[in-house]
Amino acid sequence: MNTRQDGGSNRLDDAARAGWLYYVAGNTQDQIAATLGISRQTAQRLVSLAVSEGLIKVRVDHPIANCLDLAARLKSRFALDLVEVVPSDPNSSSTTIGIAEAAAAEIERRLRSPTPIVMGIGTGRTLKAAIEQLPPMECPQHKVVSLTGNISPDGSAAFYNVIFTMADRVKARSFPMPLPVIASSPQEREMLLNQPMIQPTLALAAEADVTFIGIGDLGPKAPLYEDGFISESELKALQKAGGIAEIVGWVFDREGRMIEGITNDRVSSASLPSREKSLVIALAMGERKLPGILAAVNRRLVNGLITDERTATALLASI
């Protein structure tokens, strides 16, 4: 077993070296083969392995004119404080590709600052994909606080809660919310949120300088439902009440108004930080999320947005 592990580690080392020679040093595959003493086919496979294993992070630094134009128009139309639009892949149905990388760059830029900040973090697939793109960093001057509970209904750690992954990656002080995502009753929620160990985390979340959150749709494959946080009957009740999307568990309608009761009176998440005093950035794209994104920017539930060309175009076309 140790031999296999060592062999796998050595192969990743070779892949990293080949990837560096190709993407950083600008070598051709023939040159890589000569340098490493391998065949051209092996060099090609190693470069591909470096990419598939996430050893290589590629960023395009040239601003794309149409993306810049869409970002400027979105910022003006919805009075947003930050907008970034990334290119769309017409052949992809992914709701993370492109915006996860852009979000990672924005998170990294803010964590590089020597001035201490409080960064709020939501949860979800897009945010998890973004955190996985972050390079290892040493940021002891910053505080990272989770807005959401990290316990699933079965008592396990919530899979898409990213606070621990982020803390490990950037070595910042982390403040998790050791609570269920949705409590079993309003009374339990109130009791949990009033615990002495929870109050400082809630206060810190309210003071966040910048917060990154996802927007989950409330369709048949709603993340809240698929991940087991709400039941099918609760999902249908939320839909019947007009719910179309959620941010850190809080469900809202097409006007951006919070749904009364049902699950909203049991959500253990912190309230969203002030959009007048701080930046709350949504990472969201795709047709299923479009109504929720539109409601969030219209109601100013968020004042920042990282999205893609197709979604930006659709938002601007909305009445």
Side-chain angles (χ1 to χ4, degrees):
M1 180 176 287
N2 287 340
T3 301
R4 284 199 300 272
Q5 287 177 343
D6 291 345
S9 176
N10 289 338
R11 186 160 177 79
L12 287 181
D13 285 348
D14 291 341
R17 187 176 298 275
W20 188 91
L21 288 169
Y22 188 77
Y23 287 103
V24 180
N27 285 196
T28 66
Q29 291 177 359
D30 286 329
Q31 290 172 319
I32 295 170
T35 300
L36 300 182
I38 56 179
S39 68
R40 185 182 187 281
Q41 289 75 18
T42 300
Q44 183 178 17
R45 285 195 293 270
L46 286 174
V47 172
S48 297
L49 179 63
V51 174
S52 66
E53 290 292 325
L55 308 181
I56 302 295
K57 301 290 190 294
V58 179
R59 290 181 183 169
V60 177
D61 287 333
H62 180 75
I64 298 173
N66 187 54
C67 291
L68 292 176
D69 177 64
L70 288 169
R73 291 167 60 195
L74 282 174
K75 194 172 184 180
S76 174
R77 167 80 177 271
F78 297 105
L80 297 171
D81 298 314
L82 180 147
V83 179
E84 182 166 356
V85 177
V86 302
S88 295
D89 179 356
N91 299 314
S92 174
S93 60
S94 171
T95 58
T96 65
I97 290 178
I99 63 171
E101 289 78 4
E106 182 66 22
I107 292 171
E108 180 183 350
R109 183 179 72 81
R110 292 177 181 276
L111 290 177
R112 293 288 183 195
S113 169
T115 304
I117 65 168
V118 176
M119 180 177 290
I121 292 291
T123 187
R125 291 152 176 78
T126 308
L127 201 51
K128 184 174 187 292
I131 299 307
E132 289 172 349
Q133 297 283 334
L134 288 175
M137 301 170 66
E138 296 285 341
C139 306
Q141 72 274 31
H142 301 313
K143 297 177 181 178
V144 181
V145 57
S146 177
L147 268 63
T148 64
N150 55 24
I151 303 174
S152 295
D154 63 359
S156 63
F159 185 72
Y160 293 104
N161 189 290
V162 299
I163 186 70
F164 298 113
T165 304
M166 186 170 180
D168 182 61
R169 191 68 60 93
V170 305
K171 301 297 186 293
R173 291 185 64 192
S174 63
F175 296 81
M177 195 83 73
L179 298 173
V181 176
I182 297 179
S184 61
S185 68
Q187 293 75 23
E188 181 187 67
R189 171 186 180 271
E190 184 176 0
M191 182 270 293
L192 290 170
L193 294 182
N194 283 322
Q195 294 298 309
M197 67 178 295
I198 302 299
Q199 286 291 307
T201 304
L202 291 173
L204 189 65
E207 297 171 4
D209 300 291
V210 59
T211 301
F212 294 87
I213 53 95
I215 296 178
D217 74 277
L218 220 66
K221 294 185 176 181
L224 278 180
Y225 169 63
E226 286 208 323
D227 296 340
F229 296 118
I230 63 174
S231 66
E232 184 176 8
S233 62
E234 288 170 331
L235 174 62
K236 289 181 178 179
L238 288 166
Q239 292 170 337
K240 186 175 180 180
I244 59 158
E246 53 88 14
I247 294 175
V248 296
W250 300 108
V251 178
F252 53 92
D253 64 14
R254 289 185 180 276
E255 303 300 321
R257 295 173 299 209
M258 295 296 164
I259 299 299
E260 293 186 13
I262 310 178
T263 59
N264 269 2
D265 59 4
R266 295 187 283 120
V267 174
S268 298
S269 300
S271 299
L272 290 174
S274 168
R275 275 75 72 198
E276 305 308 316
K277 299 178 182 178
S278 69
L279 196 55
V280 179
I281 304 171
L283 327 176
M285 61 183 272
E287 185 177 354
R288 285 191 295 115
K289 296 190 177 188
L290 183 62
I293 300 171
L294 182 60
V297 295
N298 265 328
R299 193 75 173 186
R300 205 171 169 80
L301 299 180
V302 301
N303 56 353
L305 177 65
I306 298 177
T307 191
D308 74 322
E309 285 177 295
R310 280 184 299 190
T311 307
T313 300
L315 287 170
L316 290 167
S318 63
I319 299 176

